[in-house]
Amino acid sequence: MTTRGRKTVRSKVARRLVVLVATRKGAWLYHGDAGRKTWRSDGPHFLGHIVNHLVLDPRDGRTLLVAAKTGHLGPTVFRSTDLGRSWKEAVRPPAFNKAPDGQPGRAVDHTFWLTPGHASEPDSWYAGTSPQGLFRSEDGGVTWDPFSGINDDPQYRKWMGTVQDGTPDGPKLHSIIIDPRDPAHLYFAMSGGGVHESTDRGQTWMPIVAGLEVVEGLDAAEITFHDPHCVRLCPGNPDRLYQQNHCGIYRLDRPSSEWVRIGRRMPRRVGDVGFPIVVHPHDPDTVWVFPMDGGSVWPRTSPGGVPAAYVTRNGGKTWRSAAAGLPEGQAWWTVKRQAMTSDVNDPVGLYFGTTSGELWASRDEGEKWDCIAAHLPEIYAVEVAAPA
Amino acid sequence: MNVLIPTPLRSYTGQRVVEARGSTLGAVLADLDRQFPGIRFRMINEQDCMRPHVRFFVNGRQAFDVSQPLGPSDEVVIVQALSGG
């Protein structure tokens, strides 16, 4: 695919892909053939490490970053430039500023999210952490610094809330998005803490939460109570974003700053709660989600034990199930926010990893699914990339 | 002085026991980081606090602060806490 302004051009040239799988107990790479039919496992890497994200730099096709920690040791970032044959640790992983003497400071528990920078800024990367922090590297992930001032900004610290306002695994900054047309135009999201936008390279930020619902009984005017699970920008139209929120599925068409809930058209028995959302690499009207049970005590399992992706081909006006090949019952897993993604081939390939350690793939935009790996640890993130 | 390294950190040292210098526990950890870059941050966070699941013992007694003074013949033992999971 090549990008020309807002238009994208599909490429039918098959490229060998690698699926990058981050799990609670290490990382795996699955190397595909040209037809995406067979996958060769390479792993585990960092066995025993909690790996939250594993991302290949699309700008050079060779720099691979891993956000890792163990149950006992502090967080770090590992780097490879040979697809995992060798690794080096970051010299300075993401870490908050030291607090002045006598004042409480924050410590990064884990780096949760990695985003390569703009195409015009080689070696730049962004990282989101738990608790919520935003960091940037300008040397391919070797050294990291706090980015933009939000980590210590009193207003943002208030919006970040407390541990009780975050996920069960700690509050997180995620969904770091760079506008492909403008490296100064950035978005990020926080669970909890809402969605935020900067148009001046992070010097200033503004929340974008209008139209988003919050948990019943809470005040939607309070930024802290907003829980965006995953936000994606459409490569086929960078003025369109989609969001899977704790309270529904939404679409935002800029320059509007008001999200529109498009999940109301999902089947009522399924609902529109979930973690991941995947945008089509070319068609801004096509989006996939993977709903979960957000009823009663929030089981966070597939509704009714019947896992299914759902797709809209018209920007959320209608949805249909895309579940052929998936278990038809008694499958009580779900898919986390970073664990579903797409490639850019034609037709588009989709990939997701489950909390029960299965890796699934579709070569035809979700019409049929195949399990390409099983018995892995709980899968936290799945990315797909084309190595150089 | 000798410092016993727990298995999760031996990817840094390659050895079970290493030598380090310093008049406080913090100085010894800084010396370890000079020898084995990155090892300190896995044990001590950016606020200079011990991470919750790492324990330090000096001559068999647990140390709770990196400012604890050390003598040249003291022995430091680093262990991962028996915190399960």
Side-chain angles (χ1 to χ4, degrees):
Chain A
M1 182 189 74
T2 56
T3 301
R4 297 173 187 161
R6 283 174 50 180
K7 292 183 177 177
T8 57
V9 179
R10 296 181 187 210
S11 169
K12 291 208 174 195
V13 177
R15 298 182 64 184
R16 288 184 184 273
L17 300 175
V18 59
V19 179
L20 310 168
V21 182
T23 83
R24 186 169 180 267
K25 297 288 184 180
W28 279 259
L29 283 67
Y30 287 86
H31 295 268
D33 62 22
R36 299 176 291 179
K37 290 180 179 172
T38 62
W39 300 89
R40 175 177 60 82
S41 171
D42 170 20
H45 297 264
F46 308 107
L47 181 62
H49 274 71
I50 301 164
V51 179
N52 274 292
H53 214 179
L54 172 64
V55 179
L56 184 71
D57 189 338
R59 297 162 297 184
D60 65 11
R62 55 194 292 271
T63 303
L64 187 59
L65 296 193
V66 174
K69 64 168 287 185
T70 75
H72 292 83
L73 304 179
T76 192
V77 170
F78 294 105
R79 305 174 66 252
S80 174
T81 55
D82 54 12
L83 278 183
R85 283 188 284 277
S86 62
W87 297 93
K88 281 189 176 177
E89 186 175 359
V91 171
R92 191 170 69 239
F96 292 116
N97 289 325
K98 177 94 163 62
D101 283 347
Q103 294 185 26
R106 293 193 299 160
V108 172
D109 180 78
H110 57 274
T111 295
F112 179 70
W113 189 281
L114 296 165
T115 293
H118 191 269
S120 67
E121 298 177 344
D123 295 329
S124 64
W125 285 74
Y126 294 89
T129 62
S130 174
Q132 301 101 321
L134 181 59
F135 298 86
R136 178 176 159 107
S137 170
E138 296 185 355
D139 55 13
V142 178
T143 61
W144 296 83
D145 290 297
F147 177 70
S148 86
I150 67 152
N151 297 354
D152 298 313
D153 180 83
Q155 178 64 79
Y156 268 84
R157 289 291 302 278
K158 181 172 178 289
W159 285 340
M160 290 171 187
T162 68
V163 169
Q164 286 186 313
D165 298 308
T167 78
D169 191 29
K172 301 178 190 309
L173 191 149
H174 57 84
S175 301
I176 304 166
I177 295 168
I178 299 104
D179 188 331
R181 302 163 299 186
D182 179 5
H185 186 202
L186 308 168
Y187 299 92
F188 70 80
M190 298 192 290
S191 295
V195 183
H196 301 265
E197 178 189 31
S198 172
T199 56
D200 55 11
R201 203 178 290 273
Q203 292 182 54
T204 59
W205 295 88
M206 283 294 291
I208 309 179
V209 297
L212 299 176
E213 297 179 30
V214 297
V215 171
E216 184 179 11
L218 298 180
D219 180 4
E222 175 54 65
I223 303 297
T224 303
F225 297 147
H226 286 274
D227 186 1
H229 283 178
C230 187
V231 182
R232 302 288 185 186
L233 177 146
C234 294
N237 176 7
D239 282 326
R240 173 170 284 187
L241 292 93
Y242 289 93
Q243 177 183 165
Q244 175 65 73
N245 187 287
H246 191 85
C247 298
I249 304 166
Y250 297 84
R251 190 188 73 224
L252 175 65
D253 288 307
R254 312 310 309 273
S256 170
S257 293
E258 183 156 352
W259 295 88
V260 176
R261 189 166 183 174
I262 57 173
R264 297 281 191 207
R265 298 294 182 90
M266 287 281 289
R268 184 163 293 183
R269 64 184 164 73
V270 175
D272 66 342
V273 173
F275 280 125
I277 190 162
V278 176
V279 294
H280 193 284
H282 319 296
D283 174 10
D285 286 332
T286 295
V287 179
W288 295 269
V289 293
F290 210 101
M292 69 179 183
D293 186 345
S296 64
V297 295
W298 273 73
R300 295 178 172 85
T301 54
S302 298
V306 185
Y310 278 77
V311 61
T312 177
R313 295 283 185 178
N314 50 25
K317 291 189 183 77
T318 58
W319 297 86
R320 68 173 174 82
S321 171
L326 296 178
E328 295 179 357
Q330 290 298 328
W332 301 99
W333 39 260
T334 193
V335 179
K336 294 203 158 181
R337 77 187 77 199
Q338 292 157 292
M340 187 172 182
T341 191
S342 71
D343 64 30
V344 297
N345 284 9
D346 185 10
V348 170
L350 294 172
Y351 309 83
F352 70 80
T354 72
T355 50
S356 60
E358 294 173 0
L359 181 63
W360 291 81
S362 167
R363 295 192 301 272
D364 53 11
E365 309 203 354
E367 294 305 308
K368 180 164 187 320
W369 295 95
D370 295 300
C371 183
I372 61 175
H375 313 305
L376 294 170
E378 179 179 3
I379 293 176
Y380 284 175
V382 174
E383 299 284 351
V384 63
Chain B
M1 68 193 66
N2 285 337
V3 180
L4 179 67
I5 304 295
T7 56
L9 289 168
R10 286 184 200 160
S11 61
Y12 290 87
T13 64
Q15 303 171 70
R16 178 175 163 274
V17 178
V18 299
E19 284 198 9
R21 295 180 178 181
S23 58
T24 64
L25 179 57
V28 166
L29 295 176
D31 188 42
L32 281 180
D33 203 60
R34 278 189 288 276
Q35 299 180 62
F36 312 106
I39 194 171
R40 180 181 182 277
F41 191 64
R42 307 301 298 274
M43 301 181 280
I44 305 292
N45 71 23
E46 56 266 59
Q47 306 305 331
D48 288 335
C49 296
M50 297 171 179
R51 294 198 183 276
H53 304 295
V54 180
R55 298 282 184 271
F56 299 88
F57 291 84
V58 177
N59 301 328
R61 302 187 67 170
Q62 187 169 353
F64 295 97
D65 196 299
V66 293
S67 64
Q68 176 163 331
L70 298 180
S73 61
D74 286 342
E75 183 183 64
V76 175
V77 173
I78 305 170
V79 299
Q80 59 178 1
L82 303 177
S83 45

